[in-house]
Amino acid sequence: MDSYNAFPGNLILAIHPRVPFTNIGLFRNQQLIFLKKIMHTEEARKQSPDYAGECGMRSEQIYKEMVENNLPVADIKVVISRGGLVHPVQAGVYRVNEKMIEDLRAGVSGEDVVNLGGLVAAELAKMIRGASAFVADPVVVDEFDEIARVSGHAEFKRRSVFHALEQKAVARKYAKTVQKKYEDLNLIVGQMGNGITIGAHHRGRVIDANQGLDGDGPFSPSRAGQVPIGDLINLCYSGKYTREVLYDMITIHGGLYSYLGVHDGYSAEHMALNGDEKAVFYLKAMAYQVAKTIGSMFTVLSGDVDAILLTGGLVHSTVFMEELQSRIRRIAPVHTYASEDDVETLALNGYYILQGEIAVQEYEG
């Protein structure tokens, strides 16, 4: 277990990259002292062939922002971000080492903006003397039961790719409110934003979850979820699309975007509340599919569920949530949480590192 000799001057920089922006938060212990959404222009992003190529641009922009705001950059000891699509790992905090950087750049488990987290953290740590880079609860945290890995064909294996950081943070928050240990509860947890993942949490382990990245579970604002396989195979061989276009169709331009032309639940909700019946229908259809996935996790937990916990931007959609809750309320008590602040959750992990209260693990690939 590492100790970074915490004292009041030690600061934590938490970063959360998204496609058009990066959220950053600077913390002294658990106190936020600076928060900023740093926008990245489409022109700047187009200079790179992939997400990994944006690392330098984003890092320089973040560093410049901190300097221009006269922040005590030299006092930053921990730079922490979400973990990306590396090889499967156990839950926890990992040092960003050379092997992780190599695997993030290669996209060994997939290509997504989340891979920038560890890369930007490492680049910033190089720019700040005395700082170290970490990631917390990567999206490839793997605690699946072996039976959950079976896909239906020997050529394929179900993978654990879900919102581990957000789901585990909400689960622990709920456990604290009911004065129980997370490891003593059975929970169904849903993170519902641009992507949607539903996890079955059995006594502190996520034993099953839909793979929300590229084709499993409900559709979401940007992602198609599970589509008819035969039709997808036919489309692949139709000659109409390249592999890259088809992959974007599933992961970026699917879901609500394909039906309504908007990438987020807020815009779809606005359309629905202004009388757009098509928007109402597809928000309800999305809720229907989420409810089906929650129902499947109920069976994974053998019907023994203490609570259903829902978080993410979609909890603010009245049309979506009314439909969803009407379908799942008889399964178990439902609790909703305002969209989890990933920057705050990351900073808390950074605080534990400084205090020596968490074991920092080494990524081996």
Side-chain angles (χ1 to χ4, degrees), residues 124-328:
L124 286 167
K126 288 180 183 177
M127 300 165 73
I128 304 168
R129 185 175 181 180
S132 299
F134 305 89
V135 296
D137 284 333
V139 293
V140 289
V141 164
D142 189 351
E143 302 167 329
F144 272 19
D145 282 346
E146 283 305 309
I147 200 168
R149 304 183 194 281
V150 178
S151 68
H153 192 286
E155 191 71 24
F156 308 103
K157 193 174 185 178
R158 292 189 69 240
R159 296 187 297 145
S160 177
V161 180
F162 72 106
H163 298 95
L165 179 71
E166 297 89 341
Q167 287 200 24
K168 285 185 172 282
V170 167
R172 293 188 179 106
K173 182 181 290 187
Y174 171 78
K176 188 174 182 180
T177 63
V178 296
Q179 298 182 326
K180 292 185 178 181
K181 292 182 178 179
Y182 169 47
E183 292 76 14
D184 292 335
L185 295 168
N186 278 352
L187 305 167
I188 297 173
V189 185
Q191 163 66 25
M192 307 180 301
N194 279 352
I196 295 175
T197 58
I198 312 296
H201 295 236
H202 175 64
R203 306 288 190 257
R205 290 174 50 237
V206 182
I207 62 173
D208 200 349
N210 70 289
Q211 199 268 71
L213 174 64
D214 57 9
D216 183 25
F219 74 83
S220 68
S222 294
R223 292 171 179 164
Q226 186 172 343
V227 297
I229 295 175
D231 292 344
L232 179 60
I233 291 173
N234 291 335
L235 197 60
C236 289
Y237 287 91
S238 68
K240 295 180 180 179
Y241 306 104
T242 63
R243 181 196 179 280
E244 290 73 20
V245 170
L246 278 169
Y247 193 75
D248 285 353
M249 186 184 297
I250 296 297
T251 61
I252 301 175
H253 301 140
L256 289 182
Y257 181 79
S258 69
Y259 293 117
L260 304 175
V262 295
H263 273 295
D264 61 285
Y266 175 81
S267 298
E269 173 83 355
H270 180 74
M271 293 167 64
L273 295 180
N274 281 280
D276 189 323
E277 293 184 2
K278 187 177 178 182
V280 171
F281 176 79
Y282 285 111
L283 280 168
K284 288 186 175 182
M286 185 166 63
Y288 172 84
Q289 290 199 3
V290 172
K292 283 203 300 182
T293 307
I294 289 173
S296 72
M297 296 305 165
F298 178 72
T299 66
V300 168
L301 294 169
S302 301
D304 179 14
V305 179
D306 294 296
I308 299 170
L309 314 179
L310 303 174
T311 188
L314 285 170
V315 301
H316 302 293
S317 169
T318 303
V319 175
F320 172 83
M321 286 302 296
E322 285 182 354
E323 182 70 19
L324 177 58
Q325 295 205 57
S326 73
R327 293 180 178 275
I328 64 174

Side-chain angles (χ1 to χ4, degrees), residues 4 11-15 55-56 58-60 62-63 66 73-81 94-98 101 116-135:
Y4 287 84
L11 301 184
I12 302 157
L13 175 62
I15 57 176
C55 176
R58 293 193 186 225
S59 302
E60 290 172 9
I62 291 168
Y63 190 86
M66 292 192 294
V73 176
D75 288 340
I76 296 172
K77 301 301 178 188
V78 170
V79 185
I80 189 165
S81 185
Y94 290 81
R95 187 189 319 277
V96 181
N97 56 26
E98 288 302 318
I101 291 171
L116 273 168
L119 295 175
V120 173
E123 189 67 21
L124 286 167
K126 288 180 183 177
M127 300 165 73
I128 304 168
R129 185 175 181 180
S132 299
F134 305 89
V135 296

